[in-house]
mmCIF file of all heavy atoms in Angstrom:
data_model
loop_
_atom_site.group_PDB
_atom_site.id
_atom_site.type_symbol
_atom_site.label_atom_id
_atom_site.label_comp_id
_atom_site.label_asym_id
_atom_site.label_seq_id
_atom_site.Cartn_x
_atom_site.Cartn_y
_atom_site.Cartn_z
ATOM 1 N N MET D 1 -4.528 66.209 110.986
ATOM 2 C CA MET D 1 -4.958 66.793 112.239
ATOM 3 C C MET D 1 -4.045 67.971 112.596
ATOM 4 O O MET D 1 -2.846 67.954 112.398
ATOM 5 C CB MET D 1 -4.945 65.886 113.445
ATOM 6 C CG MET D 1 -6.116 64.901 113.403
ATOM 7 S SD MET D 1 -7.593 65.636 113.909
ATOM 8 C CE MET D 1 -8.489 64.253 114.369
ATOM 9 N N MET D 2 -4.641 69.049 113.131
ATOM 10 C CA MET D 2 -3.802 70.180 113.558
ATOM 11 C C MET D 2 -3.699 70.048 115.109
ATOM 12 O O MET D 2 -4.526 69.449 115.674
ATOM 13 C CB MET D 2 -4.622 71.522 113.352
ATOM 14 C CG MET D 2 -4.749 71.978 111.876
ATOM 15 S SD MET D 2 -5.533 73.454 111.927
ATOM 16 C CE MET D 2 -7.262 72.996 112.445
ATOM 17 N N LYS D 3 -2.568 70.520 115.592
ATOM 18 C CA LYS D 3 -2.370 70.583 116.934
ATOM 19 C C LYS D 3 -2.913 72.004 117.511
ATOM 20 O O LYS D 3 -2.282 72.994 117.056
ATOM 21 C CB LYS D 3 -0.943 70.260 117.244
ATOM 22 C CG LYS D 3 -0.663 70.204 118.848
ATOM 23 C CD LYS D 3 0.784 69.841 119.070
ATOM 24 C CE LYS D 3 0.924 69.770 120.601
ATOM 25 N NZ LYS D 3 2.254 70.190 121.012
ATOM 26 N N VAL D 4 -3.770 72.006 118.294
ATOM 27 C CA VAL D 4 -4.400 73.300 118.748
ATOM 28 C C VAL D 4 -4.242 73.288 120.338
ATOM 29 O O VAL D 4 -4.786 72.308 121.033
ATOM 30 C CB VAL D 4 -5.860 73.470 118.380
ATOM 31 C CG1 VAL D 4 -6.269 74.891 118.836
ATOM 32 C CG2 VAL D 4 -5.887 73.342 116.898
ATOM 33 N N VAL D 5 -3.719 74.228 120.921
ATOM 34 C CA VAL D 5 -3.524 74.358 122.438
ATOM 35 C C VAL D 5 -4.011 75.707 122.926
ATOM 36 O O VAL D 5 -3.737 76.720 122.285
ATOM 37 C CB VAL D 5 -2.072 74.172 122.729
ATOM 38 C CG1 VAL D 5 -1.862 74.453 124.187
ATOM 39 C CG2 VAL D 5 -1.579 72.769 122.349
ATOM 40 N N VAL D 6 -4.599 75.656 124.008
ATOM 41 C CA VAL D 6 -4.898 76.975 124.658
ATOM 42 C C VAL D 6 -4.046 77.008 125.892
ATOM 43 O O VAL D 6 -3.963 76.166 126.590
ATOM 44 C CB VAL D 6 -6.454 76.923 125.248
ATOM 45 C CG1 VAL D 6 -6.672 78.081 126.018
ATOM 46 C CG2 VAL D 6 -7.434 76.874 124.044
ATOM 47 N N ASN D 7 -3.272 78.113 125.846
ATOM 48 C CA ASN D 7 -2.258 78.256 126.859
ATOM 49 C C ASN D 7 -2.713 79.047 128.154
ATOM 50 O O ASN D 7 -3.893 79.340 128.157
ATOM 51 C CB ASN D 7 -0.886 78.946 126.243
ATOM 52 C CG ASN D 7 -1.125 80.316 125.969
ATOM 53 O OD1 ASN D 7 -1.924 81.121 126.639
ATOM 54 N ND2 ASN D 7 -0.291 80.869 124.958
ATOM 55 N N GLU D 8 -1.872 79.169 129.129
ATOM 56 C CA GLU D 8 -2.323 79.692 130.391
ATOM 57 C C GLU D 8 -2.691 81.105 130.503
ATOM 58 O O GLU D 8 -3.221 81.665 131.424
ATOM 59 C CB GLU D 8 -1.051 79.436 131.438
ATOM 60 C CG GLU D 8 0.150 80.456 131.291
ATOM 61 C CD GLU D 8 0.906 80.100 130.090
ATOM 62 O OE1 GLU D 8 0.759 78.922 129.470
ATOM 63 O OE2 GLU D 8 1.769 81.008 129.623
ATOM 64 N N LYS D 9 -2.561 81.833 129.250
ATOM 65 C CA LYS D 9 -2.997 83.160 129.204
ATOM 66 C C LYS D 9 -4.496 83.403 129.061
ATOM 67 O O LYS D 9 -4.985 84.470 129.251
ATOM 68 C CB LYS D 9 -2.270 83.899 127.959
ATOM 69 C CG LYS D 9 -0.819 84.135 128.135
ATOM 70 C CD LYS D 9 -0.151 84.994 127.024
ATOM 71 C CE LYS D 9 0.480 84.208 125.994
ATOM 72 N NZ LYS D 9 0.886 84.919 124.899
ATOM 73 N N CYS D 10 -5.191 82.280 128.715
ATOM 74 C CA CYS D 10 -6.644 82.389 128.625
ATOM 75 C C CYS D 10 -7.440 82.919 129.808
ATOM 76 O O CYS D 10 -7.121 82.649 131.054
ATOM 77 C CB CYS D 10 -7.229 80.950 128.472
ATOM 78 S SG CYS D 10 -9.004 80.874 128.340
ATOM 79 N N ILE D 11 -8.207 84.004 129.417
ATOM 80 C CA ILE D 11 -8.967 84.666 130.611
ATOM 81 C C ILE D 11 -10.450 84.161 130.557
ATOM 82 O O ILE D 11 -11.272 84.802 131.322
ATOM 83 C CB ILE D 11 -8.879 86.255 130.438
ATOM 84 C CG1 ILE D 11 -9.347 86.642 128.971
ATOM 85 C CG2 ILE D 11 -7.465 86.689 130.583
ATOM 86 C CD1 ILE D 11 -9.463 88.053 128.719
ATOM 87 N N GLY D 12 -10.743 83.232 129.864
ATOM 88 C CA GLY D 12 -12.059 82.628 129.838
ATOM 89 C C GLY D 12 -13.208 83.525 129.248
ATOM 90 O O GLY D 12 -14.331 83.375 129.585
ATOM 91 N N CYS D 13 -12.840 84.293 128.270
ATOM 92 C CA CYS D 13 -13.905 85.190 127.665
ATOM 93 C C CYS D 13 -14.932 84.322 126.904
ATOM 94 O O CYS D 13 -15.982 84.846 126.523
ATOM 95 C CB CYS D 13 -13.282 86.196 126.806
ATOM 96 S SG CYS D 13 -12.630 85.651 125.224
ATOM 97 N N ALA D 14 -14.604 83.126 126.573
ATOM 98 C CA ALA D 14 -15.515 82.238 125.675
ATOM 99 C C ALA D 14 -15.670 82.616 124.242
ATOM 100 O O ALA D 14 -16.573 81.904 123.580
ATOM 101 C CB ALA D 14 -16.766 82.056 126.419
ATOM 102 N N LEU D 15 -14.960 83.603 123.815
ATOM 103 C CA LEU D 15 -15.197 83.936 122.366
ATOM 104 C C LEU D 15 -14.827 82.799 121.375
ATOM 105 O O LEU D 15 -15.629 82.616 120.507
ATOM 106 C CB LEU D 15 -14.223 85.156 122.036
ATOM 107 C CG LEU D 15 -14.370 85.809 120.760
ATOM 108 C CD1 LEU D 15 -15.758 86.390 120.501
ATOM 109 C CD2 LEU D 15 -13.424 86.859 120.451
ATOM 110 N N CYS D 16 -13.728 82.080 121.688
ATOM 111 C CA CYS D 16 -13.347 81.013 120.753
ATOM 112 C C CYS D 16 -14.492 79.991 120.744
ATOM 113 O O CYS D 16 -14.765 79.358 119.731
ATOM 114 C CB CYS D 16 -12.022 80.434 121.134
ATOM 115 S SG CYS D 16 -11.872 79.873 122.865
ATOM 116 N N ALA D 17 -14.906 79.650 121.921
ATOM 117 C CA ALA D 17 -16.009 78.613 122.059
ATOM 118 C C ALA D 17 -17.279 79.005 121.399
ATOM 119 O O ALA D 17 -18.046 78.084 120.750
ATOM 120 C CB ALA D 17 -16.358 78.269 123.559
ATOM 121 N N GLU D 18 -17.585 80.252 121.266
ATOM 122 C CA GLU D 18 -18.685 80.765 120.601
ATOM 123 C C GLU D 18 -18.522 80.886 119.129
ATOM 124 O O GLU D 18 -19.445 80.493 118.252
ATOM 125 C CB GLU D 18 -19.036 82.224 121.084
ATOM 126 C CG GLU D 18 -19.685 82.233 122.371
ATOM 127 C CD GLU D 18 -19.848 83.671 123.048
ATOM 128 O OE1 GLU D 18 -19.720 84.646 122.104
ATOM 129 O OE2 GLU D 18 -20.002 83.712 124.154
ATOM 130 N N THR D 19 -17.328 81.153 118.587
ATOM 131 C CA THR D 19 -17.057 81.292 117.240
ATOM 132 C C THR D 19 -16.723 80.017 116.621
ATOM 133 O O THR D 19 -16.903 79.786 115.392
ATOM 134 C CB THR D 19 -16.095 82.343 116.860
ATOM 135 O OG1 THR D 19 -14.825 82.031 117.705
ATOM 136 C CG2 THR D 19 -16.321 83.601 117.334
ATOM 137 N N CYS D 20 -16.174 79.045 117.391
ATOM 138 C CA CYS D 20 -15.822 77.728 116.726
ATOM 139 C C CYS D 20 -15.951 76.619 117.653
ATOM 140 O O CYS D 20 -14.984 76.066 118.313
ATOM 141 C CB CYS D 20 -14.284 77.963 116.406
ATOM 142 S SG CYS D 20 -13.714 76.490 115.388
ATOM 143 N N PRO D 21 -17.279 76.339 118.056
ATOM 144 C CA PRO D 21 -17.580 75.370 119.003
ATOM 145 C C PRO D 21 -17.190 73.918 118.713
ATOM 146 O O PRO D 21 -17.028 73.046 119.391
ATOM 147 C CB PRO D 21 -19.065 75.459 119.221
ATOM 148 C CG PRO D 21 -19.485 76.040 117.865
ATOM 149 C CD PRO D 21 -18.474 77.032 117.345
ATOM 150 N N GLU D 22 -16.858 73.802 117.302
ATOM 151 C CA GLU D 22 -16.450 72.376 116.993
ATOM 152 C C GLU D 22 -15.081 72.048 117.453
ATOM 153 O O GLU D 22 -14.765 70.800 117.612
ATOM 154 C CB GLU D 22 -16.303 72.341 115.367
ATOM 155 C CG GLU D 22 -17.775 72.540 114.701
ATOM 156 C CD GLU D 22 -18.202 73.887 114.575
ATOM 157 O OE1 GLU D 22 -17.405 74.832 114.893
ATOM 158 O OE2 GLU D 22 -19.280 74.169 114.081
ATOM 159 N N VAL D 23 -14.317 73.020 117.789
ATOM 160 C CA VAL D 23 -13.003 72.741 118.367
ATOM 161 C C VAL D 23 -12.697 73.237 119.727
ATOM 162 O O VAL D 23 -12.004 72.565 120.405
ATOM 163 C CB VAL D 23 -11.936 73.548 117.336
ATOM 164 C CG1 VAL D 23 -10.485 73.385 117.905
ATOM 165 C CG2 VAL D 23 -12.072 73.006 115.797
ATOM 166 N N PHE D 24 -13.361 74.345 120.143
ATOM 167 C CA PHE D 24 -13.136 74.850 121.424
ATOM 168 C C PHE D 24 -14.300 74.728 122.278
ATOM 169 O O PHE D 24 -15.512 74.861 121.925
ATOM 170 C CB PHE D 24 -12.751 76.333 121.378
ATOM 171 C CG PHE D 24 -11.652 76.683 120.517
ATOM 172 C CD1 PHE D 24 -11.734 77.015 119.315
ATOM 173 C CD2 PHE D 24 -10.399 76.534 121.229
ATOM 174 C CE1 PHE D 24 -10.566 77.237 118.520
ATOM 175 C CE2 PHE D 24 -9.234 76.941 120.374
ATOM 176 C CZ PHE D 24 -9.335 77.185 119.042
ATOM 177 N N HIS D 25 -14.107 74.383 123.654
ATOM 178 C CA HIS D 25 -15.227 74.311 124.641
ATOM 179 C C HIS D 25 -14.751 74.879 125.846
ATOM 180 O O HIS D 25 -13.431 74.885 126.138
ATOM 181 C CB HIS D 25 -15.864 72.981 124.769
ATOM 182 C CG HIS D 25 -14.988 71.977 125.413
ATOM 183 N ND1 HIS D 25 -14.041 71.262 124.698
ATOM 184 C CD2 HIS D 25 -14.804 71.509 126.692
ATOM 185 C CE1 HIS D 25 -13.548 70.461 125.514
ATOM 186 N NE2 HIS D 25 -13.902 70.553 126.656
ATOM 187 N N MET D 26 -15.690 75.275 126.885
ATOM 188 C CA MET D 26 -15.167 75.812 128.091
ATOM 189 C C MET D 26 -15.020 74.764 129.184
ATOM 190 O O MET D 26 -16.083 73.867 129.253
ATOM 191 C CB MET D 26 -16.150 77.011 128.503
ATOM 192 C CG MET D 26 -16.255 78.165 127.477
ATOM 193 S SD MET D 26 -14.616 78.883 127.045
ATOM 194 C CE MET D 26 -14.165 79.675 128.607
ATOM 195 N N GLU D 27 -14.136 74.809 129.999
ATOM 196 C CA GLU D 27 -14.033 73.875 131.110
ATOM 197 C C GLU D 27 -13.535 74.564 132.274
ATOM 198 O O GLU D 27 -12.277 75.126 132.266
ATOM 199 C CB GLU D 27 -13.061 72.774 130.698
ATOM 200 C CG GLU D 27 -13.760 71.249 130.747
ATOM 201 C CD GLU D 27 -12.865 70.225 130.241
ATOM 202 O OE1 GLU D 27 -11.672 70.103 130.669
ATOM 203 O OE2 GLU D 27 -13.191 69.566 129.153
ATOM 204 N N ASN D 28 -14.285 74.597 133.363
ATOM 205 C CA ASN D 28 -13.657 75.193 134.629
ATOM 206 C C ASN D 28 -13.326 76.690 134.325
ATOM 207 O O ASN D 28 -12.153 77.136 134.937
ATOM 208 C CB ASN D 28 -12.535 74.437 135.234
ATOM 209 C CG ASN D 28 -13.007 73.047 135.556
ATOM 210 O OD1 ASN D 28 -14.143 72.917 136.087
ATOM 211 N ND2 ASN D 28 -12.133 71.978 135.409
ATOM 212 N N GLY D 29 -14.026 77.407 133.449
ATOM 213 C CA GLY D 29 -13.705 78.900 133.354
ATOM 214 C C GLY D 29 -12.581 79.161 132.337
ATOM 215 O O GLY D 29 -12.366 80.206 132.115
ATOM 216 N N VAL D 30 -12.081 78.108 131.672
ATOM 217 C CA VAL D 30 -11.033 78.408 130.572
ATOM 218 C C VAL D 30 -11.315 77.586 129.389
ATOM 219 O O VAL D 30 -12.140 76.539 129.439
ATOM 220 C CB VAL D 30 -9.643 78.130 131.079
ATOM 221 C CG1 VAL D 30 -9.206 79.148 132.149
ATOM 222 C CG2 VAL D 30 -9.493 76.653 131.491
ATOM 223 N N ALA D 31 -10.877 78.036 128.269
ATOM 224 C CA ALA D 31 -11.105 77.202 127.099
ATOM 225 C C ALA D 31 -10.141 76.080 126.859
ATOM 226 O O ALA D 31 -9.086 75.973 127.362
ATOM 227 C CB ALA D 31 -10.843 78.146 125.817
ATOM 228 N N VAL D 32 -10.849 74.972 126.241
ATOM 229 C CA VAL D 32 -10.011 73.723 125.985
ATOM 230 C C VAL D 32 -10.224 73.511 124.548
ATOM 231 O O VAL D 32 -11.258 73.734 124.024
ATOM 232 C CB VAL D 32 -10.407 72.600 126.854
ATOM 233 C CG1 VAL D 32 -9.794 71.328 126.510
ATOM 234 C CG2 VAL D 32 -10.314 72.839 128.476
ATOM 235 N N ALA D 33 -9.103 73.162 123.864
ATOM 236 C CA ALA D 33 -9.141 72.879 122.436
ATOM 237 C C ALA D 33 -9.184 71.283 122.229
ATOM 238 O O ALA D 33 -8.349 70.536 122.725
ATOM 239 C CB ALA D 33 -7.934 73.498 121.648
ATOM 240 N N GLY D 34 -10.018 70.839 121.377
ATOM 241 C CA GLY D 34 -10.144 69.489 121.075
ATOM 242 C C GLY D 34 -9.287 69.299 119.801
ATOM 243 O O GLY D 34 -8.653 70.228 119.274
ATOM 244 N N PRO D 35 -9.111 67.936 119.461
ATOM 245 C CA PRO D 35 -8.327 67.734 118.150
ATOM 246 C C PRO D 35 -9.085 68.391 117.063
ATOM 247 O O PRO D 35 -10.350 68.532 117.032
ATOM 248 C CB PRO D 35 -8.422 66.229 118.078
ATOM 249 C CG PRO D 35 -9.430 65.792 118.926
ATOM 250 C CD PRO D 35 -9.555 66.723 120.139
ATOM 251 N N ALA D 36 -8.424 68.897 116.078
ATOM 252 C CA ALA D 36 -9.114 69.603 115.009
ATOM 253 C C ALA D 36 -8.612 69.081 113.594
ATOM 254 O O ALA D 36 -7.386 68.939 113.383
ATOM 255 C CB ALA D 36 -8.723 71.110 114.983
ATOM 256 N N ASP D 37 -9.582 68.762 112.907
ATOM 257 C CA ASP D 37 -9.250 68.326 111.483
ATOM 258 C C ASP D 37 -8.519 69.442 110.593
ATOM 259 O O ASP D 37 -8.928 70.650 110.943
ATOM 260 C CB ASP D 37 -10.560 68.077 110.688
ATOM 261 C CG ASP D 37 -11.155 66.716 111.008
ATOM 262 O OD1 ASP D 37 -10.572 65.946 111.708
ATOM 263 O OD2 ASP D 37 -12.276 66.478 110.302
ATOM 264 N N ASP D 38 -7.802 69.080 109.647
ATOM 265 C CA ASP D 38 -7.267 70.229 108.818
ATOM 266 C C ASP D 38 -8.251 71.141 108.246
ATOM 267 O O ASP D 38 -8.056 72.322 107.942
ATOM 268 C CB ASP D 38 -6.433 69.492 107.807
ATOM 269 C CG ASP D 38 -5.202 68.906 108.339
ATOM 270 O OD1 ASP D 38 -4.889 69.129 109.529
ATOM 271 O OD2 ASP D 38 -4.480 68.227 107.690
ATOM 272 N N GLY D 39 -9.516 70.636 107.981
ATOM 273 C CA GLY D 39 -10.569 71.474 107.433
ATOM 274 C C GLY D 39 -11.005 72.551 108.370
ATOM 275 O O GLY D 39 -11.570 73.589 107.824
ATOM 276 N N TRP D 40 -10.637 72.619 109.508
ATOM 277 C CA TRP D 40 -10.975 73.667 110.532
ATOM 278 C C TRP D 40 -9.820 74.667 110.568
ATOM 279 O O TRP D 40 -9.919 75.647 111.442
ATOM 280 C CB TRP D 40 -11.188 73.132 111.889
ATOM 281 C CG TRP D 40 -12.465 72.295 111.970
ATOM 282 C CD1 TRP D 40 -12.551 70.901 112.036
ATOM 283 C CD2 TRP D 40 -13.737 72.697 111.886
ATOM 284 N NE1 TRP D 40 -13.909 70.511 111.960
ATOM 285 C CE2 TRP D 40 -14.701 71.664 111.906
ATOM 286 C CE3 TRP D 40 -14.305 73.957 111.669
ATOM 287 C CZ2 TRP D 40 -15.952 71.760 111.811
ATOM 288 C CZ3 TRP D 40 -15.698 74.131 111.640
ATOM 289 C CH2 TRP D 40 -16.532 73.078 111.717
ATOM 290 N N ALA D 41 -8.877 74.602 109.701
ATOM 291 C CA ALA D 41 -7.715 75.615 109.739
ATOM 292 C C ALA D 41 -8.203 77.056 109.804
ATOM 293 O O ALA D 41 -7.723 77.802 110.603
ATOM 294 C CB ALA D 41 -6.777 75.371 108.676
ATOM 295 N N THR D 42 -9.198 77.398 108.944
ATOM 296 C CA THR D 42 -9.585 78.889 108.803
ATOM 297 C C THR D 42 -10.394 79.287 110.126
ATOM 298 O O THR D 42 -9.915 80.311 110.674
ATOM 299 C CB THR D 42 -10.453 78.998 107.557
ATOM 300 O OG1 THR D 42 -9.675 78.616 106.475
ATOM 301 C CG2 THR D 42 -10.917 80.420 107.558
ATOM 302 N N PRO D 43 -11.448 78.492 110.526
ATOM 303 C CA PRO D 43 -11.988 78.861 111.792
ATOM 304 C C PRO D 43 -10.999 78.945 112.941
ATOM 305 O O PRO D 43 -11.136 79.767 113.931
ATOM 306 C CB PRO D 43 -13.092 77.806 111.993
ATOM 307 C CG PRO D 43 -13.298 77.136 110.772
ATOM 308 C CD PRO D 43 -12.045 77.361 109.974
ATOM 309 N N VAL D 44 -10.173 78.030 113.098
ATOM 310 C CA VAL D 44 -9.139 78.010 114.139
ATOM 311 C C VAL D 44 -8.324 79.362 114.050
ATOM 312 O O VAL D 44 -8.019 79.875 115.063
ATOM 313 C CB VAL D 44 -8.280 76.688 114.184
ATOM 314 C CG1 VAL D 44 -7.104 76.822 115.079
ATOM 315 C CG2 VAL D 44 -9.175 75.569 114.642
ATOM 316 N N ALA D 45 -7.758 79.542 112.878
ATOM 317 C CA ALA D 45 -6.995 80.669 112.641
ATOM 318 C C ALA D 45 -7.749 82.025 113.066
ATOM 319 O O ALA D 45 -7.214 82.935 113.627
ATOM 320 C CB ALA D 45 -6.503 80.827 111.172
ATOM 321 N N ASN D 46 -9.056 82.054 112.691
ATOM 322 C CA ASN D 46 -9.911 83.212 113.057
ATOM 323 C C ASN D 46 -10.028 83.243 114.581
ATOM 324 O O ASN D 46 -9.888 84.451 115.141
ATOM 325 C CB ASN D 46 -11.265 83.043 112.355
ATOM 326 C CG ASN D 46 -11.244 83.427 110.996
ATOM 327 O OD1 ASN D 46 -10.347 83.950 110.393
ATOM 328 N ND2 ASN D 46 -12.138 82.892 110.163
ATOM 329 N N ALA D 47 -10.227 82.140 115.268
ATOM 330 C CA ALA D 47 -10.423 82.142 116.587
ATOM 331 C C ALA D 47 -9.068 82.564 117.378
ATOM 332 O O ALA D 47 -9.083 83.406 118.251
ATOM 333 C CB ALA D 47 -10.758 80.759 117.099
ATOM 334 N N ALA D 48 -7.887 82.097 116.812
ATOM 335 C CA ALA D 48 -6.575 82.558 117.298
ATOM 336 C C ALA D 48 -6.548 83.984 117.151
ATOM 337 O O ALA D 48 -6.029 84.759 118.040
ATOM 338 C CB ALA D 48 -5.568 81.760 116.567
ATOM 339 N N ALA D 49 -6.854 84.573 115.929
ATOM 340 C CA ALA D 49 -6.671 85.916 115.682
ATOM 341 C C ALA D 49 -7.624 86.759 116.594
ATOM 342 O O ALA D 49 -7.365 87.949 116.932
ATOM 343 C CB ALA D 49 -7.012 86.240 114.309
ATOM 344 N N GLY D 50 -8.786 86.264 116.871
ATOM 345 C CA GLY D 50 -9.763 86.980 117.689
ATOM 346 C C GLY D 50 -9.578 86.788 119.281
ATOM 347 O O GLY D 50 -10.157 87.727 119.896
ATOM 348 N N CYS D 51 -8.729 85.889 119.732
ATOM 349 C CA CYS D 51 -8.521 85.823 121.166
ATOM 350 C C CYS D 51 -7.834 87.129 121.602
ATOM 351 O O CYS D 51 -6.756 87.408 121.149
ATOM 352 C CB CYS D 51 -7.558 84.585 121.308
ATOM 353 S SG CYS D 51 -7.100 84.402 123.155
ATOM 354 N N PRO D 52 -8.492 87.777 122.648
ATOM 355 C CA PRO D 52 -7.907 89.134 122.974
ATOM 356 C C PRO D 52 -6.592 88.965 123.756
ATOM 357 O O PRO D 52 -5.923 89.972 123.813
ATOM 358 C CB PRO D 52 -8.966 89.574 124.107
ATOM 359 C CG PRO D 52 -9.697 88.312 124.428
ATOM 360 C CD PRO D 52 -9.672 87.347 123.325
ATOM 361 N N VAL D 53 -6.177 87.742 124.178
ATOM 362 C CA VAL D 53 -4.879 87.792 124.861
ATOM 363 C C VAL D 53 -3.857 86.829 124.187
ATOM 364 O O VAL D 53 -2.810 86.383 124.761
ATOM 365 C CB VAL D 53 -5.149 87.240 126.385
ATOM 366 C CG1 VAL D 53 -5.834 88.309 127.184
ATOM 367 C CG2 VAL D 53 -5.944 85.834 126.413
ATOM 368 N N GLY D 54 -4.274 86.385 123.054
ATOM 369 C CA GLY D 54 -3.256 85.549 122.229
ATOM 370 C C GLY D 54 -3.036 84.174 122.871
ATOM 371 O O GLY D 54 -1.870 83.731 122.863
ATOM 372 N N ALA D 55 -4.004 83.591 123.465
ATOM 373 C CA ALA D 55 -3.935 82.325 124.099
ATOM 374 C C ALA D 55 -3.934 81.105 123.354
ATOM 375 O O ALA D 55 -3.658 79.918 123.826
ATOM 376 C CB ALA D 55 -4.884 82.263 125.336
ATOM 377 N N ILE D 56 -4.283 81.221 122.087
ATOM 378 C CA ILE D 56 -4.562 79.990 121.212
ATOM 379 C C ILE D 56 -3.325 79.772 120.286
ATOM 380 O O ILE D 56 -2.936 80.562 119.505
ATOM 381 C CB ILE D 56 -5.853 80.163 120.270
ATOM 382 C CG1 ILE D 56 -6.941 80.406 121.148
ATOM 383 C CG2 ILE D 56 -5.956 78.915 119.381
ATOM 384 C CD1 ILE D 56 -8.319 80.700 120.463
ATOM 385 N N GLU D 57 -2.619 78.627 120.433
ATOM 386 C CA GLU D 57 -1.553 78.271 119.681
ATOM 387 C C GLU D 57 -2.018 77.052 118.859
ATOM 388 O O GLU D 57 -2.464 76.058 119.274
ATOM 389 C CB GLU D 57 -0.402 77.871 120.691
ATOM 390 C CG GLU D 57 0.061 78.820 121.625
ATOM 391 C CD GLU D 57 0.923 78.391 122.609
ATOM 392 O OE1 GLU D 57 1.544 77.183 122.475
ATOM 393 O OE2 GLU D 57 1.306 78.965 123.582
ATOM 394 N N ALA D 58 -1.760 77.346 117.551
ATOM 395 C CA ALA D 58 -2.172 76.317 116.487
ATOM 396 C C ALA D 58 -1.043 76.081 115.560
ATOM 397 O O ALA D 58 -0.402 77.058 115.060
ATOM 398 C CB ALA D 58 -3.400 76.887 115.772
ATOM 399 N N GLU D 59 -0.803 74.899 115.288
ATOM 400 C CA GLU D 59 0.127 74.477 114.301
ATOM 401 C C GLU D 59 -0.628 74.045 113.014
ATOM 402 O O GLU D 59 -1.275 72.999 113.038
ATOM 403 C CB GLU D 59 1.009 73.326 114.658
ATOM 404 C CG GLU D 59 2.039 73.561 115.726
ATOM 405 C CD GLU D 59 2.722 72.390 116.324
ATOM 406 O OE1 GLU D 59 2.805 71.343 115.608
ATOM 407 O OE2 GLU D 59 3.330 72.468 117.317
ATOM 408 N N LEU D 60 -0.733 75.061 112.116
ATOM 409 C CA LEU D 60 -1.594 74.891 110.977
ATOM 410 C C LEU D 60 -0.757 74.255 109.796
ATOM 411 O O LEU D 60 0.544 74.233 109.768
ATOM 412 C CB LEU D 60 -2.055 76.132 110.479
ATOM 413 C CG LEU D 60 -2.943 76.872 111.579
ATOM 414 C CD1 LEU D 60 -3.364 78.331 111.127
ATOM 415 C CD2 LEU D 60 -4.222 76.097 111.936
HETATM 416 S S1 SF4 F 1 -10.834 83.503 123.142
HETATM 417 FE FE1 SF4 F 1 -8.878 83.310 124.101
HETATM 418 S S2 SF4 F 1 -9.093 84.257 126.178
HETATM 419 FE FE2 SF4 F 1 -11.095 83.792 125.189
HETATM 420 S S3 SF4 F 1 -11.698 81.857 126.037
HETATM 421 FE FE3 SF4 F 1 -10.777 81.553 124.005
HETATM 422 S S4 SF4 F 1 -8.639 81.179 124.492
HETATM 423 FE FE4 SF4 F 1 -9.475 81.955 126.289
#
């Protein structure tokens, strides 16, 4: 399992939830990351790279 965290910089753009809904969902206007299997490393890395404010922290 990877540890994935959305930090307080999230501006709620929902990009991560759209690109990787298996791991990210929206709650009260911000993204929340669920537990992620190691198999999701690439989509999670892509979501982290695509986040406009660098709010996704992942230990891959
Ligand atoms: S892409 Fe970044 S700013 Fe946008 S909802 Fe996800 S964590 Fe928040």
